[in-house]
Amino acid sequence: MAGYPLLIAAAEDTVHASQAAKAVAMLMMMGNLGGVMMVLLMQSVKGLTGSWMPTGWVLIIAVALATFLVFLDSNKKCNVLKE
């Protein structure tokens, strides 16, 4: 199953029903901001090194950092997983 619909459902379940649209909108805006930042970061690494090869390490570090942030607070439970 795709992760994006689960993430939207988790955002909707986390906040009050009147704030669900704002939560999903913020989630989408942060995803777009992350995409723009990664493009700019990869272009700057390519400009500094003159090669696209080191940008692979940028992606690996970004995935490792995201994984660390996801598991940082393992005490919080998501309502989606209880169903």
Side-chain angles (χ1 to χ4, degrees):
M1 183 175 211
Y4 191 63
L6 291 176
L7 192 59
I8 290 175
E12 291 172 348
D13 288 343
T14 304
V15 298
H16 191 266
S18 64
Q19 300 294 320
K22 289 180 185 176
V24 171
M26 287 298 293
L27 182 67
M28 290 182 179
M29 285 176 50
M30 291 300 113
N32 289 336
L33 178 64
V36 169
M37 288 176 40
M38 283 303 296
V39 167
L40 294 175
L41 181 63
M42 290 179 69
Q43 286 179 346
S44 65
V45 168
K46 197 256 185 203
L48 290 172
T49 62
S51 172
W52 285 107
M53 204 58 121
T55 60
W57 287 106
V58 171
L59 292 175
I60 291 171
I61 292 169
V63 169
L65 180 64
T67 303
F68 173 73
L69 291 175
V70 166
F71 291 115
L72 185 65
D73 190 11
S74 61
N75 293 329
K76 291 186 178 180
K77 301 281 190 260
C78 182
N79 292 337
V80 175
L81 299 176
K82 292 180 182 178
E83 295 177 359

